[in-house]
């Protein structure tokens, strides 16, 4: 037997629901109390440690520079082929390039 009356108290198969949504909402009776600021000694001791060591000045000789870009300068690899799902594969000779071109996708 189905419930065709669209009642919230009963489910579609006729069972009575146990739900809190049908009860009245309780009113909040709390009161406002300002938050007491507490001092965390550990944090303040860490802040004092940071003040002991000044940071490095800009332009000093100890500042790192970016490494040189790596460029292939050899003659073994002739090119790069794209295989299944954008997989880049190095091509060494012309025969291997023809094999990659004949592959079914």
């Amino acid at each position: 037997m189905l419930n065709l009356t669209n009642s919230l108290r009963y489910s579609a198969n006729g069972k009575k629901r146990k739900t809190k949504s049908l009860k009245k909402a309780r009113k909040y009776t709390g009161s406002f109390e300002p938050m007491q600021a507490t001092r965390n000694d550990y944090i303040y001791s860490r802040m004092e440690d940071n003040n002991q060591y000044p940071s490095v000045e800009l332009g000093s000789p100890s500042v790192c520079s970016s490494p040189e870009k790596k460029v292939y300068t050899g003659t073994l690899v002739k090119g790069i082929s794209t295989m299944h799902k954008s997989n880049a594969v190095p091509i060494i000779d012309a025969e291997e390039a023809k094999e990659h071109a004949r592959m079914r996708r």
Side-chain angles (χ1 to χ4, degrees), residues 1-6 10-15:
M1 180 167 153
L2 294 175
N3 184 9
L4 302 176
T5 61
N6 295 333
Y10 295 92
S11 66
N13 59 5
K15 283 189 163 184

Side-chain angles (χ1 to χ4, degrees), residues 5 18-19 22 32 37 39 63 70 75 77 81 91 99-100:
T5 61
K18 296 178 182 177
T19 177
L22 301 175
F32 175 76
R39 179 184 165 130
V63 176
K70 298 177 182 177
T75 58
V77 177
S81 172
I91 300 295
E99 287 177 11
H100 284 274

Side-chain angles (χ1 to χ4, degrees), residues 7-11 13-23:
S7 173
L8 294 177
R9 294 190 186 273
Y10 295 92
S11 66
N13 59 5
K15 283 189 163 184
K16 189 170 182 179
R17 291 186 179 166
K18 296 178 182 177
T19 177
K20 294 180 181 179
S21 64
L22 301 175
K23 295 180 182 177

Side-chain angles (χ1 to χ4, degrees), residues 1-103:
M1 180 167 153
L2 294 175
N3 184 9
L4 302 176
T5 61
N6 295 333
S7 173
L8 294 177
R9 294 190 186 273
Y10 295 92
S11 66
N13 59 5
K15 283 189 163 184
K16 189 170 182 179
R17 291 186 179 166
K18 296 178 182 177
T19 177
K20 294 180 181 179
S21 64
L22 301 175
K23 295 180 182 177
K24 290 184 179 179
R26 289 189 273 168
K27 292 182 180 178
Y28 179 71
T29 58
S31 62
F32 175 76
E33 296 177 10
M35 187 173 101
Q36 300 294 326
T38 59
R39 179 184 165 130
N40 191 342
D41 292 329
Y42 176 73
I43 293 175
Y44 285 102
S45 66
R46 295 291 293 169
M47 289 173 60
E48 292 169 0
D49 290 344
N50 290 342
N51 294 334
Q52 291 178 359
Y53 306 106
S55 61
V56 177
E57 296 177 11
L58 294 176
S60 66
S62 64
V63 176
C64 297
S65 61
S66 62
E68 294 181 18
K69 294 185 177 181
K70 298 177 182 177
V71 179
Y72 179 72
T73 58
T75 58
L76 178 66
V77 177
K78 304 295 182 194
I80 298 174
S81 172
T82 304
M83 289 183 68
H84 182 65
K85 292 190 177 181
S86 302
N87 185 11
V89 179
I91 300 295
I92 297 174
D93 57 357
E95 185 62 34
E96 192 173 356
K98 290 177 185 176
E99 287 177 11
H100 284 274
R102 278 190 229 126
M103 279 188 169

